[in-house]
Amino acid sequence: MGFSRAGTSAVVRERGERGLNTPYQVPAAGPRVPGLAVFPLAGRQGVRAAGEVGLTTRAIWEGVLEQAVREDEDVYYLELSDVTFVDVAGAGALAAAAGQLRDGRRFVVRRPPPALRRTLDLLWPDQEGIEVSTS
């Protein structure tokens, strides 16, 4: 959602007000609730996700990971190029799911948000069940 300074200035001039606490308009619809959409990948085992992984979407994320652990393929792809944010609990859920994979299986996390990669490197550096790919 983009808000412009010009729109606010026009509102201030129109109402004859001297100013507001913020130079940006406040959305009329209330606070934005993040979402997470998940779609199966064509031609390979895995999913493409779009949105954010956080408190309001954690159940969706954990459900995807639980299903992935139950799959029989050696590689399960998580295409995250359209995911803008993964909180620490979401990264922890990924690490925990990877820990449940049998030997030789792994998650290939493609194009994750930079913060997820840093969190995995910092908190789970030796997790063998996760391969992060930027391509």
Side-chain angles (χ1 to χ4, degrees):
M1 277 182 216
F3 303 105
S4 70
R5 289 177 182 256
T8 301
S9 298
V11 170
V12 171
R13 281 194 306 273
E14 199 175 299
R15 293 183 183 165
E17 298 169 355
R18 290 187 173 269
L20 300 172
N21 289 338
T22 177
Y24 299 99
Q25 291 178 342
V26 177
R32 182 181 69 82
V33 177
L36 181 66
V38 177
F39 309 94
L41 285 175
R44 58 174 45 163
Q45 192 67 29
V47 296
R48 179 177 61 84
E52 297 180 4
V53 176
L55 182 61
T56 59
T57 60
R58 189 161 308 118
I60 298 167
W61 178 244
E62 289 174 350
V64 165
L65 296 172
E66 287 171 16
Q67 178 63 36
V69 169
R70 288 192 295 264
E71 296 290 332
D72 198 30
E73 299 293 324
D74 287 338
V75 178
Y76 193 89
Y77 292 90
L78 297 168
E79 173 58 56
L80 303 182
S81 60
D82 292 328
V83 172
T84 57
F85 175 74
V86 177
D87 68 5
V88 173
L94 175 59
Q100 294 176 22
L101 296 173
R102 64 175 164 64
D103 288 341
R105 290 192 64 215
R106 71 185 188 285
F107 289 116
V108 174
V109 181
R110 299 194 63 217
R111 296 181 276 187
L116 175 60
R117 180 176 220 166
R118 286 191 302 269
T119 302
L120 290 171
D121 287 345
L122 180 67
L123 300 176
W124 294 278
D126 299 323
Q127 180 53 266
E128 294 178 14
I130 302 173
E131 176 184 324
V132 179
S133 170
T134 56
S135 61

